[in-house]
Amino acid sequence: MSIRQRISQALAANALGQGVTIGSQLLLTPLFFQTWGSARYGEWLMLSSLPAYLNMADLGIGSAASNEMTMQAAAGQRRQAQQTFLGAWRVLWWASALVLTIGVGLAAWFGWLQAESPDRQIHAHDAAWVLLGLTLSVIVGLMNGIVFAGYRCADRNALGLMLGNVTRLAEALVMGALLWAGLGPVALAWGALMVKVVMLLGQYLGLQRVAPWLFTPGVKADAHLVRRLIMPSIGFLALPMGHALAIQGPVLVIGAVLGPSAAAVFSALRTLARLPVQMTNVFNNAVWPEMSRAHGSGDAPLLRSLHRGTWGSSLVLTVIAGVGLVTVGPWMAHAWLGKDVVQDPKLLAALVGITTITAIWSASYIVLAAINQHARMGLGYVLINLCVLGAMWLLGLGAGWPGVLWPLVLGELAMLAWVMPQTMSHTQDQLLAFLRGATIEGWQRLLQGARST
């Protein structure tokens, strides 16, 4: 299968995925507000933010192994790819035990050991069961990541993406049905978990059919996997940590400083504002495996071309989408959330600007992640977001919304300045040549099979 075919299929799968993401958010967010109210929904968001930090329990080994497997398969080293695959599963079992231990402790502290508050919208025992369900979902998600790595290294990236998107669609539909039926947080957490378990089993059985060589008997797991991948793993450990700080962190800070209702409104409007990021993720996720293959085969011109095309597409899409959201976003928010939810057009415009910067630097960081050269970038991502959250807390107490928004803007600008030079160094690119090549025309030439811009 050619590069063009693989990218086209992955683009289609990712387009479906972003459709699922946007559609589920458009479906579920107003349902949460209508059935639970902003205060209870805000508490649900704060609760569901806590287990997200457990996604880093495998120390990033799973993600680093995924890239390694793809590069090994591209070089014809299938036996080594299987050893990496088995080694990743070995690490996962230890990570799962750690996740379960922390999750149970978190549920016990948050649900059963804390005193019941009359202002709490989700009762203490219900909160404990929610946290347990979400913890188990994290474990299933880690398993799903390794299964997806198998699809990627077997040149079936689009199929793996499609199955993952079907899983997320089924999960959203089940949650919507449970909300519509008037059920509470415990039912939502455990209903989503059941969907993930069933779909994971189906994906694993499917992988055995499309990549039987990954299950060749007698092959032993790579015993030196952790030692060999520790540096890129640290970077992948930092990525989910930084992402959790960037996505869940502001919700927790705003909930603590401005209240749960403010956190719910912020989360809803940010969902709308992140539409440009979700659009560009279609390109990023489709090109990621091709970047790994280009690096694994030593094709530097192709890697450079992939970066330029992805970056140029992200820039154009985010600017167009951002202008559209600032223009019609307030009307969309009223139609989507209802007139009873207090909204601020200035808040939406600020969030659109923030997420536009995110989409642009993400198109460059994807190169570093794809070739396992992202450790410095990941650590910077964590440190920058820690500084952002600290500034949000301090400034938000006195200045309100402006105090929590300005640190977010500065943090995204800092990430742009941090990521771009590192990426161009690894792609052996120069700034002026990069800017000339990073155009929509460059992306079109790439889809037509060009090897360089």
Side-chain angles (χ1 to χ4, degrees):
M1 186 182 297
S2 68
I3 294 175
R4 180 181 179 181
Q5 290 174 320
R6 288 197 299 265
I7 292 179
S8 298
Q9 290 180 4
L11 280 173
N14 278 292
L16 172 63
Q18 294 309 314
V20 171
T21 298
I22 295 170
S24 62
Q25 290 170 343
L26 293 176
L27 165 71
L28 294 179
T29 302
L31 272 177
F32 275 116
F33 277 104
Q34 293 171 14
T35 58
W36 287 2
S38 60
R40 195 181 194 192
Y41 179 38
E43 287 192 10
W44 163 264
L45 289 173
M46 296 174 71
L47 268 180
S48 56
S49 296
L50 295 174
Y53 294 92
L54 298 177
N55 280 306
M56 60 197 75
D58 70 341
L59 303 179
I61 293 293
S63 297
S66 176
N67 279 347
E68 185 84 353
M69 289 166 58
T70 303
M71 290 186 281
Q72 288 169 333
Q77 301 169 349
R78 284 191 168 185
R79 182 180 179 87
Q80 290 90 329
Q82 184 185 359
Q83 290 176 324
T84 302
F85 180 66
L86 296 173
W89 278 107
R90 177 182 292 178
V91 173
L92 175 67
W93 300 127
W94 289 102
S96 299
L98 177 63
V99 168
L100 188 60
T101 301
I102 295 175
V104 169
L106 188 63
W109 175 80
F110 198 93
W112 285 298
L113 300 182
Q114 277 193 331
E116 187 70 69
S117 170
D119 297 329
R120 179 177 288 177
Q121 299 294 315
I122 300 177
H123 296 303
H125 287 179
D126 287 348
W129 285 109
V130 167
L131 287 170
L132 283 175
L134 295 175
T135 296
L136 294 175
S137 289
V138 168
I139 294 175
V140 175
L142 292 174
M143 294 179 180
N144 184 265
I146 298 179
V147 172
F148 175 64
Y151 283 95
R152 276 186 57 187
C153 78
D155 283 350
R156 304 302 295 271
N157 181 55
L159 177 59
L161 289 170
M162 189 71 66
L163 293 173
N165 293 332
V166 171
T167 299
R168 294 192 300 113
L169 176 60
E171 181 184 352
L173 291 175
V174 167
M175 291 182 69
L178 294 174
L179 280 170
W180 188 265
L183 297 179
V186 175
L188 257 67
W190 286 83
L193 172 62
M194 293 300 103
V195 172
K196 290 179 179 178
V197 170
V198 172
M199 295 303 295
L200 173 64
L201 179 60
Q203 291 177 63
Y204 186 83
L205 294 175
L207 180 60
Q208 291 179 321
R209 293 178 61 87
V210 302
W213 54 269
L214 276 174
F215 301 89
T216 303
V219 177
K220 295 183 179 181
D222 185 349
H224 305 291
L225 181 71
V226 175
R227 184 188 310 168
R228 185 163 49 83
L229 296 180
I230 187 62
M231 285 309 297
S233 296
I234 290 173
F236 274 120
L237 172 64
L239 286 175
M241 181 184 295
H243 190 67
L245 290 171
I247 299 299
Q248 281 82 29
V251 174
L252 293 172
V253 171
I254 291 172
V257 173
L258 303 179
S261 295
V265 172
F266 171 84
S267 178
L269 293 183
R270 187 179 59 179
T271 296
L272 192 62
R274 284 184 62 84
L275 289 177
V277 177
Q278 293 169 353
M279 292 170 60
T280 57
N281 281 343
V282 171
F283 292 99
N284 294 346
N285 292 331
V287 175
W288 182 321
E290 301 307 322
M291 291 177 173
S292 297
R293 291 189 182 95
H295 182 71
S297 60
D299 194 341
L302 177 59
L303 182 61
R304 217 169 22 247
S305 182
L306 288 164
H307 177 224
R308 292 177 180 182
T310 305
W311 198 92
S313 301
S314 297
L315 177 63
V316 173
L317 284 173
T318 52
V319 170
I320 294 174
V323 171
L325 280 173
V326 171
T327 304
V328 302
W331 174 83
M332 293 173 61
H334 276 293
W336 178 38
L337 301 176
K339 297 181 179 180
D340 294 334
V341 179
V342 178
Q343 300 156 31
D344 184 352
K346 293 181 180 179
L347 172 61
L348 177 60
L351 292 173
V352 168
I354 291 167
T355 56
T356 298
I357 304 171
T358 303
I360 294 172
W361 69 254
S362 294
S364 290
Y365 112 81
I366 208 75
V367 178
L368 302 175
I371 64 175
N372 278 349
Q373 296 293 328
H374 53 281
R376 288 180 60 223
M377 185 279 293
L379 292 175
Y381 191 29
V382 171
L383 293 175
I384 288 172
N385 279 297
L386 285 173
C387 293
V388 166
L389 293 177
M392 287 178 64
W393 180 280
L394 294 175
L395 297 178
L397 290 172
W401 280 115
V404 299
L405 291 175
W406 273 112
L408 290 172
V409 175
L410 296 176
E412 296 304 316
L413 291 174
M415 281 302 302
L416 180 62
W418 178 246
V419 170
M420 286 294 297
Q422 296 181 57
T423 301
M424 286 196 289
S425 173
H426 285 289
T427 57
Q428 303 173 22
D429 213 345
Q430 299 296 322
L431 180 59
L432 292 179
F434 166 78
L435 293 175
R436 285 196 301 267
T439 61
I440 293 298
E441 288 76 16
W443 175 258
Q444 291 172 341
R445 288 196 300 273
L446 174 63
L447 290 181
Q448 292 169 1
R451 302 296 291 179
S452 63
T453 55

mmCIF file of all heavy atoms in Angstrom, residues 214-256:
data_model
loop_
_atom_site.group_PDB
_atom_site.id
_atom_site.type_symbol
_atom_site.label_atom_id
_atom_site.label_comp_id
_atom_site.label_asym_id
_atom_site.label_seq_id
_atom_site.Cartn_x
_atom_site.Cartn_y
_atom_site.Cartn_z
ATOM 1 N N LEU A 214 2.249 -11.205 14.939
ATOM 2 C CA LEU A 214 2.488 -10.652 16.270
ATOM 3 C C LEU A 214 2.244 -11.679 17.373
ATOM 4 O O LEU A 214 2.612 -11.453 18.529
ATOM 5 C CB LEU A 214 1.582 -9.440 16.506
ATOM 6 C CG LEU A 214 2.065 -8.088 15.982
ATOM 7 C CD1 LEU A 214 0.992 -7.029 16.174
ATOM 8 C CD2 LEU A 214 3.355 -7.663 16.665
ATOM 9 N N PHE A 215 1.638 -12.807 17.018
ATOM 10 C CA PHE A 215 1.295 -13.835 18.000
ATOM 11 C C PHE A 215 2.016 -15.155 17.699
ATOM 12 O O PHE A 215 1.541 -16.226 18.090
ATOM 13 C CB PHE A 215 -0.223 -14.043 18.010
ATOM 14 C CG PHE A 215 -1.003 -12.797 18.331
ATOM 15 C CD1 PHE A 215 -1.399 -11.940 17.312
ATOM 16 C CD2 PHE A 215 -1.318 -12.468 19.634
ATOM 17 C CE1 PHE A 215 -2.114 -10.775 17.595
ATOM 18 C CE2 PHE A 215 -2.024 -11.312 19.924
ATOM 19 C CZ PHE A 215 -2.414 -10.454 18.905
ATOM 20 N N THR A 216 3.149 -15.058 17.045
ATOM 21 C CA THR A 216 3.937 -16.254 16.740
ATOM 22 C C THR A 216 4.385 -16.943 18.028
ATOM 23 O O THR A 216 4.976 -16.299 18.907
ATOM 24 C CB THR A 216 5.189 -15.878 15.914
ATOM 25 O OG1 THR A 216 4.767 -15.208 14.721
ATOM 26 C CG2 THR A 216 5.987 -17.118 15.558
ATOM 27 N N PRO A 217 4.116 -18.247 18.189
ATOM 28 C CA PRO A 217 4.494 -18.936 19.436
ATOM 29 C C PRO A 217 6.010 -18.986 19.609
ATOM 30 O O PRO A 217 6.778 -19.010 18.636
ATOM 31 C CB PRO A 217 3.917 -20.343 19.244
ATOM 32 C CG PRO A 217 2.888 -20.203 18.166
ATOM 33 C CD PRO A 217 3.361 -19.111 17.268
ATOM 34 N N GLY A 218 6.432 -19.043 20.869
ATOM 35 C CA GLY A 218 7.837 -19.231 21.191
ATOM 36 C C GLY A 218 8.663 -17.968 21.256
ATOM 37 O O GLY A 218 9.842 -18.039 21.621
ATOM 38 N N VAL A 219 8.097 -16.821 20.889
ATOM 39 C CA VAL A 219 8.835 -15.561 20.943
ATOM 40 C C VAL A 219 8.715 -14.971 22.345
ATOM 41 O O VAL A 219 7.617 -14.904 22.903
ATOM 42 C CB VAL A 219 8.314 -14.563 19.895
ATOM 43 C CG1 VAL A 219 9.047 -13.222 20.008
ATOM 44 C CG2 VAL A 219 8.476 -15.130 18.494
ATOM 45 N N LYS A 220 9.816 -14.577 22.912
ATOM 46 C CA LYS A 220 9.823 -14.029 24.266
ATOM 47 C C LYS A 220 9.772 -12.514 24.249
ATOM 48 O O LYS A 220 10.244 -11.880 23.298
ATOM 49 C CB LYS A 220 11.071 -14.495 25.019
ATOM 50 C CG LYS A 220 11.121 -16.003 25.257
ATOM 51 C CD LYS A 220 12.342 -16.385 26.070
ATOM 52 C CE LYS A 220 12.372 -17.893 26.332
ATOM 53 N NZ LYS A 220 13.554 -18.287 27.151
ATOM 54 N N ALA A 221 9.228 -11.952 25.315
ATOM 55 C CA ALA A 221 9.148 -10.499 25.442
ATOM 56 C C ALA A 221 10.543 -9.897 25.551
ATOM 57 O O ALA A 221 11.480 -10.532 26.059
ATOM 58 C CB ALA A 221 8.320 -10.124 26.666
ATOM 59 N N ASP A 222 10.679 -8.684 25.061
ATOM 60 C CA ASP A 222 11.945 -7.962 25.159
ATOM 61 C C ASP A 222 12.220 -7.647 26.632
ATOM 62 O O ASP A 222 11.561 -6.790 27.221
ATOM 63 C CB ASP A 222 11.863 -6.682 24.328
ATOM 64 C CG ASP A 222 13.185 -5.924 24.272
ATOM 65 O OD1 ASP A 222 14.101 -6.275 25.030
ATOM 66 O OD2 ASP A 222 13.287 -4.980 23.470
ATOM 67 N N ALA A 223 13.199 -8.321 27.202
ATOM 68 C CA ALA A 223 13.490 -8.142 28.629
ATOM 69 C C ALA A 223 14.131 -6.795 28.927
ATOM 70 O O ALA A 223 14.143 -6.357 30.080
ATOM 71 C CB ALA A 223 14.409 -9.275 29.110
ATOM 72 N N HIS A 224 14.681 -6.167 27.909
ATOM 73 C CA HIS A 224 15.380 -4.887 28.107
ATOM 74 C C HIS A 224 14.552 -3.708 27.597
ATOM 75 O O HIS A 224 15.099 -2.639 27.347
ATOM 76 C CB HIS A 224 16.727 -4.912 27.400
ATOM 77 C CG HIS A 224 17.600 -6.073 27.801
ATOM 78 N ND1 HIS A 224 18.165 -6.163 29.066
ATOM 79 C CD2 HIS A 224 17.974 -7.189 27.132
ATOM 80 C CE1 HIS A 224 18.866 -7.285 29.146
ATOM 81 N NE2 HIS A 224 18.766 -7.927 27.992
ATOM 82 N N LEU A 225 13.249 -3.928 27.446
ATOM 83 C CA LEU A 225 12.390 -2.895 26.863
ATOM 84 C C LEU A 225 12.436 -1.604 27.659
ATOM 85 O O LEU A 225 12.603 -0.514 27.096
ATOM 86 C CB LEU A 225 10.948 -3.415 26.783
ATOM 87 C CG LEU A 225 9.927 -2.452 26.170
ATOM 88 C CD1 LEU A 225 10.167 -2.321 24.672
ATOM 89 C CD2 LEU A 225 8.504 -2.931 26.433
ATOM 90 N N VAL A 226 12.264 -1.702 28.970
ATOM 91 C CA VAL A 226 12.218 -0.503 29.802
ATOM 92 C C VAL A 226 13.542 0.240 29.731
ATOM 93 O O VAL A 226 13.574 1.467 29.547
ATOM 94 C CB VAL A 226 11.877 -0.862 31.259
ATOM 95 C CG1 VAL A 226 11.960 0.377 32.147
ATOM 96 C CG2 VAL A 226 10.479 -1.474 31.341
ATOM 97 N N ARG A 227 14.672 -0.486 29.843
ATOM 98 C CA ARG A 227 15.985 0.162 29.806
ATOM 99 C C ARG A 227 16.219 0.844 28.450
ATOM 100 O O ARG A 227 16.768 1.940 28.372
ATOM 101 C CB ARG A 227 17.072 -0.875 30.061
ATOM 102 C CG ARG A 227 18.478 -0.301 30.138
ATOM 103 C CD ARG A 227 19.510 -1.421 30.202
ATOM 104 N NE ARG A 227 19.169 -2.401 31.251
ATOM 105 C CZ ARG A 227 19.770 -3.583 31.359
ATOM 106 N NH1 ARG A 227 20.710 -3.938 30.488
ATOM 107 N NH2 ARG A 227 19.412 -4.418 32.318
ATOM 108 N N ARG A 228 15.779 0.191 27.366
ATOM 109 C CA ARG A 228 16.037 0.712 26.034
ATOM 110 C C ARG A 228 15.160 1.915 25.693
ATOM 111 O O ARG A 228 15.580 2.824 24.966
ATOM 112 C CB ARG A 228 15.809 -0.412 25.009
ATOM 113 C CG ARG A 228 16.151 -0.064 23.591
ATOM 114 C CD ARG A 228 16.292 -1.332 22.741
ATOM 115 N NE ARG A 228 15.161 -2.224 22.917
ATOM 116 C CZ ARG A 228 14.012 -2.090 22.264
ATOM 117 N NH1 ARG A 228 13.849 -1.102 21.426
ATOM 118 N NH2 ARG A 228 13.033 -2.955 22.459
ATOM 119 N N LEU A 229 13.946 1.915 26.206
ATOM 120 C CA LEU A 229 12.998 2.965 25.841
ATOM 121 C C LEU A 229 12.756 3.964 26.970
ATOM 122 O O LEU A 229 11.800 4.739 26.905
ATOM 123 C CB LEU A 229 11.655 2.330 25.433
ATOM 124 C CG LEU A 229 11.667 1.451 24.184
ATOM 125 C CD1 LEU A 229 10.278 0.905 23.908
ATOM 126 C CD2 LEU A 229 12.196 2.204 22.975
ATOM 127 N N ILE A 230 13.602 3.967 27.982
ATOM 128 C CA ILE A 230 13.308 4.795 29.141
ATOM 129 C C ILE A 230 13.274 6.288 28.793
ATOM 130 O O ILE A 230 12.421 7.027 29.274
ATOM 131 C CB ILE A 230 14.316 4.516 30.289
ATOM 132 C CG1 ILE A 230 13.883 5.256 31.552
ATOM 133 C CG2 ILE A 230 15.725 4.896 29.872
ATOM 134 C CD1 ILE A 230 12.543 4.836 32.088
ATOM 135 N N MET A 231 14.187 6.753 27.933
ATOM 136 C CA MET A 231 14.209 8.176 27.607
ATOM 137 C C MET A 231 12.981 8.599 26.805
ATOM 138 O O MET A 231 12.296 9.558 27.184
ATOM 139 C CB MET A 231 15.505 8.549 26.887
ATOM 140 C CG MET A 231 16.712 8.602 27.820
ATOM 141 S SD MET A 231 16.420 9.638 29.290
ATOM 142 C CE MET A 231 16.178 11.242 28.520
ATOM 143 N N PRO A 232 12.654 7.926 25.680
ATOM 144 C CA PRO A 232 11.412 8.306 25.008
ATOM 145 C C PRO A 232 10.175 8.063 25.866
ATOM 146 O O PRO A 232 9.173 8.770 25.741
ATOM 147 C CB PRO A 232 11.392 7.443 23.740
ATOM 148 C CG PRO A 232 12.351 6.337 23.997
ATOM 149 C CD PRO A 232 13.394 6.908 24.909
ATOM 150 N N SER A 233 10.255 7.065 26.774
ATOM 151 C CA SER A 233 9.116 6.801 27.655
ATOM 152 C C SER A 233 8.889 7.957 28.619
ATOM 153 O O SER A 233 7.751 8.305 28.940
ATOM 154 C CB SER A 233 9.334 5.510 28.434
ATOM 155 O OG SER A 233 9.387 4.406 27.567
ATOM 156 N N ILE A 234 9.983 8.553 29.093
ATOM 157 C CA ILE A 234 9.835 9.716 29.973
ATOM 158 C C ILE A 234 9.092 10.821 29.242
ATOM 159 O O ILE A 234 8.228 11.506 29.800
ATOM 160 C CB ILE A 234 11.217 10.194 30.454
ATOM 161 C CG1 ILE A 234 11.809 9.183 31.436
ATOM 162 C CG2 ILE A 234 11.122 11.566 31.116
ATOM 163 C CD1 ILE A 234 13.237 9.490 31.836
ATOM 164 N N GLY A 235 9.434 10.983 27.954
ATOM 165 C CA GLY A 235 8.712 11.976 27.166
ATOM 166 C C GLY A 235 7.248 11.643 27.037
ATOM 167 O O GLY A 235 6.381 12.515 27.150
ATOM 168 N N PHE A 236 6.937 10.362 26.782
ATOM 169 C CA PHE A 236 5.537 9.972 26.673
ATOM 170 C C PHE A 236 4.844 9.985 28.026
ATOM 171 O O PHE A 236 3.621 10.136 28.099
ATOM 172 C CB PHE A 236 5.412 8.594 26.026
ATOM 173 C CG PHE A 236 5.403 8.648 24.530
ATOM 174 C CD1 PHE A 236 6.375 7.998 23.795
ATOM 175 C CD2 PHE A 236 4.436 9.354 23.846
ATOM 176 C CE1 PHE A 236 6.385 8.044 22.420
ATOM 177 C CE2 PHE A 236 4.426 9.415 22.469
ATOM 178 C CZ PHE A 236 5.407 8.753 21.747
ATOM 179 N N LEU A 237 5.586 9.788 29.100
ATOM 180 C CA LEU A 237 5.012 9.960 30.428
ATOM 181 C C LEU A 237 4.651 11.423 30.646
ATOM 182 O O LEU A 237 3.614 11.755 31.224
ATOM 183 C CB LEU A 237 6.006 9.498 31.492
ATOM 184 C CG LEU A 237 5.638 9.780 32.955
ATOM 185 C CD1 LEU A 237 4.383 9.008 33.335
ATOM 186 C CD2 LEU A 237 6.792 9.421 33.869
ATOM 187 N N ALA A 238 5.523 12.312 30.164
ATOM 188 C CA ALA A 238 5.272 13.741 30.335
ATOM 189 C C ALA A 238 4.102 14.218 29.485
ATOM 190 O O ALA A 238 3.377 15.136 29.886
ATOM 191 C CB ALA A 238 6.533 14.532 29.987
ATOM 192 N N LEU A 239 3.903 13.602 28.303
ATOM 193 C CA LEU A 239 2.834 14.063 27.423
ATOM 194 C C LEU A 239 1.449 13.933 28.060
ATOM 195 O O LEU A 239 0.695 14.904 28.098
ATOM 196 C CB LEU A 239 2.895 13.323 26.086
ATOM 197 C CG LEU A 239 4.033 13.740 25.144
ATOM 198 C CD1 LEU A 239 4.045 12.857 23.911
ATOM 199 C CD2 LEU A 239 3.888 15.205 24.757
ATOM 200 N N PRO A 240 1.045 12.747 28.551
ATOM 201 C CA PRO A 240 -0.264 12.675 29.195
ATOM 202 C C PRO A 240 -0.339 13.500 30.475
ATOM 203 O O PRO A 240 -1.400 14.032 30.809
ATOM 204 C CB PRO A 240 -0.455 11.179 29.488
ATOM 205 C CG PRO A 240 0.906 10.602 29.460
ATOM 206 C CD PRO A 240 1.678 11.416 28.472
ATOM 207 N N MET A 241 0.795 13.612 31.188
ATOM 208 C CA MET A 241 0.795 14.454 32.371
ATOM 209 C C MET A 241 0.553 15.916 31.989
ATOM 210 O O MET A 241 -0.279 16.607 32.583
ATOM 211 C CB MET A 241 2.127 14.324 33.119
ATOM 212 C CG MET A 241 2.202 15.163 34.393
ATOM 213 S SD MET A 241 3.824 15.070 35.201
ATOM 214 C CE MET A 241 3.864 13.335 35.664
ATOM 215 N N GLY A 242 1.291 16.378 30.978
ATOM 216 C CA GLY A 242 1.089 17.748 30.520
ATOM 217 C C GLY A 242 -0.294 17.961 29.958
ATOM 218 O O GLY A 242 -0.922 19.006 30.185
ATOM 219 N N HIS A 243 -0.808 16.957 29.215
ATOM 220 C CA HIS A 243 -2.150 17.086 28.649
ATOM 221 C C HIS A 243 -3.208 17.118 29.743
ATOM 222 O O HIS A 243 -4.170 17.891 29.678
ATOM 223 C CB HIS A 243 -2.423 15.926 27.700
ATOM 224 C CG HIS A 243 -3.659 16.077 26.885
ATOM 225 N ND1 HIS A 243 -3.804 17.042 25.915
ATOM 226 C CD2 HIS A 243 -4.841 15.394 26.912
ATOM 227 C CE1 HIS A 243 -5.004 16.946 25.370
ATOM 228 N NE2 HIS A 243 -5.643 15.952 25.962
ATOM 229 N N ALA A 244 -3.036 16.279 30.753
ATOM 230 C CA ALA A 244 -3.976 16.290 31.873
ATOM 231 C C ALA A 244 -3.936 17.631 32.601
ATOM 232 O O ALA A 244 -4.974 18.175 32.997
ATOM 233 C CB ALA A 244 -3.660 15.153 32.829
ATOM 234 N N LEU A 245 -2.718 18.178 32.773
ATOM 235 C CA LEU A 245 -2.604 19.491 33.409
ATOM 236 C C LEU A 245 -3.266 20.564 32.557
ATOM 237 O O LEU A 245 -3.897 21.489 33.082
ATOM 238 C CB LEU A 245 -1.128 19.835 33.630
ATOM 239 C CG LEU A 245 -0.382 19.020 34.688
ATOM 240 C CD1 LEU A 245 1.108 19.320 34.645
ATOM 241 C CD2 LEU A 245 -0.938 19.310 36.089
ATOM 242 N N ALA A 246 -3.129 20.446 31.223
ATOM 243 C CA ALA A 246 -3.681 21.462 30.331
ATOM 244 C C ALA A 246 -5.193 21.361 30.192
ATOM 245 O O ALA A 246 -5.878 22.388 30.051
ATOM 246 C CB ALA A 246 -3.022 21.351 28.949
ATOM 247 N N ILE A 247 -5.741 20.148 30.228
ATOM 248 C CA ILE A 247 -7.175 19.968 30.000
ATOM 249 C C ILE A 247 -7.952 19.894 31.310
ATOM 250 O O ILE A 247 -8.910 20.649 31.526
ATOM 251 C CB ILE A 247 -7.430 18.696 29.159
ATOM 252 C CG1 ILE A 247 -6.741 18.827 27.797
ATOM 253 C CG2 ILE A 247 -8.928 18.476 28.982
ATOM 254 C CD1 ILE A 247 -7.221 19.976 26.950
ATOM 255 N N GLN A 248 -7.556 18.985 32.201
ATOM 256 C CA GLN A 248 -8.293 18.836 33.449
ATOM 257 C C GLN A 248 -7.877 19.867 34.501
ATOM 258 O O GLN A 248 -8.687 20.266 35.334
ATOM 259 C CB GLN A 248 -8.100 17.424 34.018
ATOM 260 C CG GLN A 248 -8.946 16.349 33.363
ATOM 261 C CD GLN A 248 -8.342 15.845 32.082
ATOM 262 O OE1 GLN A 248 -7.125 15.860 31.937
ATOM 263 N NE2 GLN A 248 -9.173 15.385 31.167
ATOM 264 N N GLY A 249 -6.602 20.283 34.454
ATOM 265 C CA GLY A 249 -6.113 21.223 35.461
ATOM 266 C C GLY A 249 -6.911 22.511 35.553
ATOM 267 O O GLY A 249 -7.339 22.907 36.651
ATOM 268 N N PRO A 250 -7.136 23.224 34.446
ATOM 269 C CA PRO A 250 -7.932 24.456 34.529
ATOM 270 C C PRO A 250 -9.340 24.241 35.073
ATOM 271 O O PRO A 250 -9.871 25.107 35.774
ATOM 272 C CB PRO A 250 -7.966 24.930 33.075
ATOM 273 C CG PRO A 250 -6.726 24.396 32.470
ATOM 274 C CD PRO A 250 -6.527 23.058 33.111
ATOM 275 N N VAL A 251 -9.949 23.097 34.763
ATOM 276 C CA VAL A 251 -11.288 22.815 35.292
ATOM 277 C C VAL A 251 -11.250 22.737 36.814
ATOM 278 O O VAL A 251 -12.106 23.302 37.512
ATOM 279 C CB VAL A 251 -11.843 21.507 34.697
ATOM 280 C CG1 VAL A 251 -13.167 21.136 35.363
ATOM 281 C CG2 VAL A 251 -12.036 21.649 33.193
ATOM 282 N N LEU A 252 -10.221 22.041 37.343
ATOM 283 C CA LEU A 252 -10.101 21.918 38.796
ATOM 284 C C LEU A 252 -9.812 23.272 39.443
ATOM 285 O O LEU A 252 -10.396 23.616 40.485
ATOM 286 C CB LEU A 252 -8.993 20.922 39.145
ATOM 287 C CG LEU A 252 -9.253 19.456 38.762
ATOM 288 C CD1 LEU A 252 -8.005 18.624 38.984
ATOM 289 C CD2 LEU A 252 -10.426 18.894 39.549
ATOM 290 N N VAL A 253 -8.910 24.070 38.843
ATOM 291 C CA VAL A 253 -8.568 25.375 39.412
ATOM 292 C C VAL A 253 -9.772 26.318 39.369
ATOM 293 O O VAL A 253 -10.091 26.983 40.365
ATOM 294 C CB VAL A 253 -7.362 25.986 38.670
ATOM 295 C CG1 VAL A 253 -7.145 27.433 39.113
ATOM 296 C CG2 VAL A 253 -6.115 25.163 38.931
ATOM 297 N N ILE A 254 -10.441 26.378 38.224
ATOM 298 C CA ILE A 254 -11.599 27.259 38.106
ATOM 299 C C ILE A 254 -12.711 26.814 39.050
ATOM 300 O O ILE A 254 -13.396 27.637 39.666
ATOM 301 C CB ILE A 254 -12.092 27.306 36.645
ATOM 302 C CG1 ILE A 254 -11.051 28.028 35.786
ATOM 303 C CG2 ILE A 254 -13.449 27.995 36.530
ATOM 304 C CD1 ILE A 254 -11.331 27.965 34.297
ATOM 305 N N GLY A 255 -12.885 25.483 39.180
ATOM 306 C CA GLY A 255 -13.901 24.997 40.116
ATOM 307 C C GLY A 255 -13.595 25.400 41.542
ATOM 308 O O GLY A 255 -14.496 25.737 42.312
ATOM 309 N N ALA A 256 -12.311 25.378 41.909
ATOM 310 C CA ALA A 256 -11.926 25.745 43.275
ATOM 311 C C ALA A 256 -11.976 27.257 43.490
ATOM 312 O O ALA A 256 -12.342 27.723 44.574
ATOM 313 C CB ALA A 256 -10.522 25.229 43.574
#
